[in-house]
Amino acid sequence: GDSVTQMEGPVTLSEEAFLTINCTYTATGYPSLFWYVQYPGEGLQLLLKATKADDKGSNKGFEATYRKETTSFHLEKGSVQVSDSAVYFCALSDPGGSYIPTFGRGTSLIVHP
Amino acid sequence: DAGVTQSPTHLIKTRGQQVTLRCSPKSGHDTVSWYQQALGQGPQFIFQYYEEEERQRGNFPDRFSGHQFPNYSSELNVNALLLGDSALYLCASSPTPGQMNTEAFFGQGTRLTVV
């Protein structure tokens, strides 16, 4: 079945450092790919998405590129802030519109001042 | 737009009891899905409701059941609670299945603690 693998956390960075969180997936067909963010004590918020190969999703300084050849969707940000501290989930879903994402286990990001 | 709203936000129950969680979808959405998120894990799909029927179900026992009302709101019921049912329960709403290139919107969740 479909699955998502994320790098284990926590990832600990100083403010203004460069961030990469790795995500690879296994799926039949061509899924849509997502990054969700969960701040402490809150639900999930969609951060960005990409729906086809070579698409780049971006939002709030974060970006990720849909790489079909490497089945990857790594999340990057050039300069993290303390307010970016959260848990980040990579997810995929059937592009046919069932809206049932399959999630990775999440990667905790801790940014120190 | 109020987005997806869930109630209650926190709940404590005793083993063996039953619990009902509620969800109102985002305006314009008619499909509701429920997820269980254990501590330190990603959300796991429980089931999805559309047109007041359960359309898809994940790998959860029959103790987990649901309902969708004509106004698209939904309930998740869990019977015979176990300690392992302690988790954050997330509701997600989405448009009518089959529309391309859109996504689910999540509520803030209900934190259930079983003691």
Side-chain angles (χ1 to χ4, degrees):
Chain A
D2 296 350
S3 66
V4 175
T5 302
Q6 290 180 238
M7 62 186 289
E8 288 195 21
V11 173
T12 304
L13 295 173
S14 297
E15 211 166 21
E16 300 184 3
F18 183 87
L19 168 71
T20 300
I21 300 178
N22 291 337
C23 170
T24 57
Y25 67 90
T26 303
T28 53
Y30 303 98
S32 297
L33 302 175
F34 307 88
W35 277 100
Y36 284 86
V37 58
Q38 187 172 38
Y39 297 102
E42 298 188 11
L44 296 175
Q45 298 177 29
L46 179 66
L47 181 59
L48 54 84
K49 68 176 183 180
T51 58
K52 61 182 188 296
D54 300 325
D55 265 4
K56 178 184 283 188
S58 61
N59 185 26
K60 300 180 181 180
F62 291 90
E63 58 183 35
T65 301
Y66 190 143
R67 300 288 188 199
K68 179 171 171 290
E69 64 276 13
T70 55
T71 61
S72 65
F73 193 55
H74 304 322
L75 181 68
E76 296 182 337
K77 187 176 185 183
S79 176
V80 294
Q81 305 300 312
V82 172
S83 57
D84 294 327
S85 298
V87 180
Y88 292 81
F89 292 93
C90 185
L92 64 82
S93 73
D94 165 17
S98 65
Y99 313 119
I100 304 174
T102 298
F103 289 89
R105 293 185 62 171
T107 302
S108 175
L109 170 65
I110 302 169
V111 181
H112 293 295
Chain B
D1 182 2
V4 181
T5 58
Q6 293 186 242
S7 63
T9 54
H10 294 83
L11 202 52
I12 300 174
K13 289 286 189 177
T14 304
R15 273 181 302 176
Q17 285 188 315
Q18 179 264 344
V19 68
T20 298
L21 311 182
R22 296 177 175 83
C23 172
S24 292
K26 178 180 168 64
S27 177
H29 286 180
D30 57 9
T31 302
V32 174
S33 302
W34 287 93
Y35 291 77
Q36 180 193 67
Q37 185 182 12
L39 198 61
Q41 303 293 317
Q44 299 294 313
F45 173 69
I46 303 175
F47 42 56
Q48 183 184 77
Y49 276 82
Y50 169 64
E51 291 187 328
E52 302 180 47
E53 291 188 10
E54 182 183 296
R55 299 291 177 165
Q56 295 198 52
R57 188 178 183 93
N59 188 25
F60 279 80
D62 292 345
R63 297 187 298 108
F64 289 78
S65 63
H67 187 77
Q68 186 178 34
F69 299 93
N71 66 354
Y72 310 128
S73 66
S74 175
E75 289 182 348
L76 164 66
N77 301 292
V78 186
N79 295 321
L81 284 167
L82 304 173
L83 295 180
D85 295 332
S86 296
L88 180 68
Y89 288 85
L90 294 165
C91 170
S93 79
S94 49
T96 302
Q99 296 182 36
M100 302 293 287
N101 298 331
T102 184
E103 69 275 349
F105 289 80
F106 285 80
Q108 299 289 82
T110 294
R111 172 72 62 189
L112 172 64
T113 302
V114 182
V115 297

